[in-house]
Amino acid sequence: EEEVPEKDEL
Amino acid sequence: MNIFRLTGDLSHLAAIIILLLKIWKTRSCAGISGKSQILFALVFTTRYLDLLTSFISLYNTTMKVIYIGCAYATVYLIYMKFKATYDGNHDSFRMEFLVVPVGGLACLVNHDFSFLEILWTFSIYLESVAILPQLFMISKTGEAETITTHYLFFLGLYRALYLFNWIWRFYFEGFFDMIAIVAGMVQTILYCDFFYLYVTKGQGISL
């Protein structure tokens, strides 16, 4: 299961 | 947060404000592609739905609200308030030629097949090509107002700075998002031609 990069950017 | 990302966000904010003020002050959207602005509003809408589901920081939330607000205000000014000055004949790029392939690609190539993740991926891919109607319009009219070239400069610069931000984050944080990086490269490459003209000409530009 691929780890989803965090979405902390605009 | 790092200097590249902060200056990138400020450059993006500057571009959005420059455009909004230009249209508001001159009471005209001549030379501006309404289609690109619709696509940007769509990019922000599909990317910032997480405003409703998660809180990252005051900065993050504030900027997202400003971006969405300005994007819709710009579309409103172009298609409603100053509709008479909208140059529809030259703004003829077919948006569906961008939205449909990007939508399909977002369903095929993504990090996770979930609703919010597909929309986020769609917004990343769409943002990389959303400026095409504007660049196409300038190539058709053969010139652009100086203020419009400043808008495009800061808009192109923002994602170029984000590329450095991703290098920084990979090196210092091990953060890596292939989808954002590849789309960011495509987005920045689309501005290269314009950057060259902007730097060499400095004045009004003819693509």
Side-chain angles (χ1 to χ4, degrees):
Chain A
E1 177 69 8
E2 183 191 350
E3 181 250 339
V4 178
E6 61 179 320
K7 302 279 182 295
D8 62 344
E9 295 178 346
L10 290 177
Chain B
M1 177 60 79
N2 59 67
I3 186 63
F4 297 113
R5 193 160 126 213
L6 182 60
T7 46
D9 288 340
L10 294 178
S11 179
H12 194 188
L13 182 63
I16 290 171
I17 300 297
I18 285 172
L19 181 65
L20 196 54
L21 283 183
K22 173 251 186 273
I23 298 175
W24 180 256
K25 294 276 186 195
T26 64
R27 303 183 69 75
S28 162
C29 58
I32 302 299
S33 164
K35 296 187 173 181
S36 277
Q37 298 313 314
I38 289 175
L39 293 176
F40 284 125
L42 184 58
V43 165
F44 294 143
T45 306
T46 51
R47 188 176 303 177
Y48 298 156
L49 284 179
D50 63 354
L51 273 172
L52 309 172
T53 58
S54 62
F55 177 80
I56 293 163
S57 69
L58 186 61
Y59 170 81
N60 189 277
T61 300
T62 309
M63 292 291 271
K64 285 177 177 176
V65 169
I66 293 172
Y67 283 4
I68 287 181
C70 290
Y72 280 100
T74 304
V75 169
Y76 164 75
L77 292 184
I78 292 172
Y79 286 99
M80 311 276 203
K81 194 153 179 67
F82 303 126
K83 182 179 175 57
T85 64
Y86 171 55
D87 182 3
N89 296 325
H90 288 118
D91 190 11
S92 55
F93 197 98
R94 302 286 299 275
M95 287 190 288
E96 54 272 32
F97 288 173
L98 296 176
V99 175
V100 174
V102 158
L105 187 64
C107 292
L108 293 174
V109 181
N110 52 62
H111 292 307
D112 178 42
F113 201 81
S114 67
F115 178 68
L116 276 182
E117 189 63 28
I118 296 260
L119 283 186
W120 176 85
T121 310
F122 170 78
S123 82
I124 291 290
Y125 293 154
L126 184 60
E127 187 189 8
S128 63
V129 292
I131 201 61
L132 283 176
Q134 179 66 66
L135 297 178
F136 181 75
M137 181 176 190
I138 291 177
S139 67
K140 279 192 78 175
T141 55
E143 41 91 34
E145 287 178 55
T146 305
I147 190 72
T148 306
T149 60
H150 296 324
Y151 158 70
L152 288 169
F153 173 73
F154 285 110
L155 196 59
L157 181 66
Y158 126 76
R159 213 61 178 173
L161 288 167
Y162 255 70
L163 294 176
F164 291 105
N165 153 63
W166 288 320
I167 294 169
W168 175 289
R169 293 193 70 182
F170 179 67
Y171 186 75
F172 290 104
E173 303 170 25
F175 174 88
F176 184 73
D177 187 338
M178 179 61 93
I179 285 178
I181 290 170
V182 172
M185 285 181 184
V186 168
Q187 183 168 338
T188 304
I189 288 169
L190 289 178
Y191 283 86
C192 285
D193 174 36
F194 166 77
F195 279 143
Y196 172 74
L197 290 169
Y198 183 82
V199 170
T200 53
K201 288 283 182 354
Q203 301 311 320
I205 269 173
S206 54
L207 284 181

